[in-house]
Amino acid sequence: MIIDKGIRIKNIYYMLSYAFEFIKHTGYADMATEDFDNIHDLFAAILAQGVTYQLKRGLYKEYIHKKDDLTTIRGKINIQETIRNKILKRQQINCEFDELSENNIYNQVVKSAASLLLRNDNVNDRHKSRLKQSLLFLSNVDDIDLKNVKWGSITFHRNNQNYRILINICNLLARGLLQTTDTGHSKLATFIDEQSMCRLYEKFILEYYRQEHSNIIKSEALQIPWVLDDDNRNLLPIMQTDITLTKKDKNKQDVLIIDAKYYRRALSNNNHSDKLTLHSGNLYQIFTYVKNKEAELLRNKTPHKVSGMLLYAKTDEQIAPNDTYQMSGNQISVSNLDLSKDFSEIRAQLDNILAKHFNA
């Protein structure tokens, strides 16, 4: 499924820079001043800079189990293979040992993605040249098929945290998120994996508020407990919000729950007519979040105000949802974020949401 969202290439960089704050540091920040012709060019620049940074720090290494014929003992002797060497008159000892190596899944993924981008005609010569230079230092790292990578098994810790953005970029490439792009300088035209973009969209908004407005509100992906008349929680799903903003006020809990939605179409056709309506499931979900959060605060006798918002990434539809409803004592609003605008305007849209709901 191909989805045309008209997102500016530069805005993908800004979204990534908030979702993965590490981009704001080191040489990544220089990309904010660069114009990219297409998304592949942007990804090539991020990978080239990322590998350069890692080379300065030293490539991440892990212990890898190996078997080899050696002239001296190392690790554990494999008796059967050593006897075979003796029979064949080889003066070697077969050993099993662990060796600290850069040939691990992290560097394999990065190298394979860089090789993929080098074969892409959309990447300009300057970024290709940087990638080629980087790959020279990965000669001891194997190429792998990115389609076979078990992405969910790749974990991060203190020693390899800097690889997080690189691995996520490689994941997007591998999943075919961005196969073809607009030939213009400003817009990203074609997506395939809507789910991946939705996750980036959610994380971008969450981190934007966390990083830019921590003095006013707390931004978190909060789980809301079901407020039940009895204690039977059997088979109830977890209520996991995308973004929950809570104003820092000792005397009152002022809460805005945002459900970030990245769809090809923000509106749907009514089953019995051609009338366009909001996706009913989205509205039911945000209403449930709001009412259970309010019930929790009521039970705890906490002074409060709880509101909800469906924040859609704006589509090319003629009608863009932009309404506010008063539902059973709570405000539920529906709005859209125009990712085709200059990023300064996107910031203004997000800041205006904050100002409107919290009088900030």
Side-chain angles (χ1 to χ4, degrees):
M1 179 174 62
I2 296 176
I3 305 163
D4 185 350
K5 300 288 286 187
I7 303 176
R8 294 190 180 201
I9 301 295
K10 183 62 69 67
N11 289 341
I12 292 290
Y13 164 77
Y14 285 119
M15 290 170 72
L16 287 167
S17 72
Y18 278 99
F20 305 98
E21 192 177 1
F22 180 71
I23 287 187
K24 291 184 177 180
H25 308 297
T26 71
Y28 287 113
D30 296 337
M31 295 178 202
T33 62
E34 186 173 351
D35 287 325
F36 298 94
D37 291 340
N38 55 74
I39 197 66
H40 302 96
D41 226 18
L42 171 61
F43 282 11
I46 291 175
L47 281 184
Q49 182 59 41
V51 174
T52 299
Y53 178 78
Q54 288 305 138
L55 288 171
K56 291 178 180 178
R57 291 173 57 92
L59 292 173
Y60 175 65
K61 295 182 179 182
E62 287 184 334
Y63 281 102
I64 296 176
H65 190 71
K66 298 184 70 174
K67 294 181 181 180
D68 203 357
D69 291 326
L70 305 173
T71 56
T72 58
I73 297 174
R74 183 178 180 186
K76 178 183 175 182
I77 298 175
N78 189 323
I79 301 298
Q80 190 173 13
E81 292 297 324
T82 300
I83 292 174
R84 182 176 298 172
N85 287 342
K86 189 71 172 177
I87 294 172
L88 295 174
K89 296 184 178 180
R90 296 174 183 162
Q91 301 301 313
Q92 291 178 314
I93 304 167
N94 188 272
C95 300
E96 295 183 30
F97 54 93
D98 291 330
E99 182 176 74
L100 196 60
S101 172
E102 63 210 32
N103 189 21
N104 53 62
I105 187 63
Y106 301 89
N107 292 317
Q108 290 168 357
V109 164
V110 171
K111 180 179 180 179
S112 301
S115 300
L116 189 66
L117 286 168
L118 281 173
R119 298 193 296 271
N120 192 299
D121 294 335
N122 290 328
V123 179
N124 70 35
D125 291 340
R126 182 167 65 87
H127 293 141
K128 281 188 176 181
S129 177
R130 289 193 65 195
L131 282 177
K132 287 178 182 177
Q133 292 175 11
S134 300
L135 289 180
L136 291 175
F137 296 92
L138 297 174
S139 57
N140 295 326
V141 176
D142 294 338
D143 268 303
I144 59 174
D145 188 344
L146 293 178
K147 293 179 181 178
N148 297 328
V149 174
K150 296 180 180 178
W151 300 97
S153 66
I154 299 179
T155 58
F156 301 95
H157 48 76
R158 185 176 62 181
N159 293 333
N160 62 19
Q161 187 67 27
N162 296 338
Y163 278 78
R164 185 182 293 272
I165 175 60
L166 299 178
I167 297 299
N168 276 275
I169 291 294
C170 297
N171 189 0
L172 295 180
L173 285 169
R175 295 176 62 165
L177 173 63
L178 307 156
Q179 287 190 344
T180 58
T181 60
D182 202 340
T183 56
H185 288 264
S186 62
K187 289 186 178 180
L188 173 64
T190 306
F191 293 89
I192 284 186
D193 192 330
E194 186 175 81
Q195 187 178 18
S196 293
M197 278 306 301
C198 185
R199 285 197 295 268
L200 176 58
Y201 180 61
E202 292 170 9
K203 189 165 176 57
F204 155 61
I205 297 171
L206 173 72
E207 291 299 329
Y208 176 82
Y209 285 123
R210 179 179 288 166
Q211 295 171 36
E212 298 294 339
H213 295 289
S214 60
N215 61 320
I216 300 172
I217 49 95
K218 184 176 183 180
S219 176
E220 54 191 335
L222 193 67
Q223 284 190 5
I224 298 176
W226 290 92
V227 178
L228 306 170
D229 295 333
D230 56 19
D231 201 32
N232 181 16
R233 300 177 183 276
N234 187 37
L235 301 180
L236 287 178
I238 293 174
M239 286 192 286
Q240 178 70 59
T241 65
D242 295 337
I243 305 106
T244 299
L245 305 181
T246 307
K247 188 174 182 179
K248 294 184 175 180
D249 190 332
K250 294 180 180 179
N251 302 317
K252 178 182 178 182
Q253 279 236 24
D254 194 349
V255 180
L256 174 62
I257 301 171
I258 299 177
D259 229 10
K261 300 297 183 184
Y262 186 99
Y263 290 154
R264 183 182 183 183
R265 293 285 177 261
L267 301 173
S268 63
N269 286 96
N270 187 286
N271 292 332
H272 305 291
S273 69
D274 292 331
K275 182 181 178 181
L276 292 173
T277 64
L278 297 169
H279 292 278
S280 58
N282 296 346
L283 200 56
Y284 299 155
Q285 183 180 48
I286 192 66
F287 183 75
T288 303
Y289 288 172
V290 167
K291 298 311 291 185
N292 276 272
K293 183 61 180 178
E294 182 174 54
E296 176 194 10
L297 296 174
L298 279 170
R299 180 170 288 183
N300 295 332
K301 298 182 180 180
T302 304
H304 64 274
K305 173 187 173 186
V306 182
S307 304
M309 170 180 277
L310 293 173
L311 184 56
Y312 291 91
K314 188 176 181 181
T315 68
D316 57 359
E317 294 170 292
Q318 289 185 344
I319 300 176
N322 188 18
D323 289 288
T324 299
Y325 310 95
Q326 300 298 326
M327 296 184 176
S328 302
N330 299 92
Q331 178 177 291
I332 305 291
S333 55
V334 183
S335 190
N336 55 87
L337 191 63
D338 192 348
L339 299 175
S340 70
K341 300 291 187 181
D342 185 84
F343 192 73
S344 62
E345 295 185 52
I346 295 174
R347 289 177 62 100
Q349 291 176 68
L350 292 171
D351 292 347
N352 185 56
I353 290 172
L354 200 71
K356 185 176 179 180
H357 284 268
F358 296 106
N359 298 318

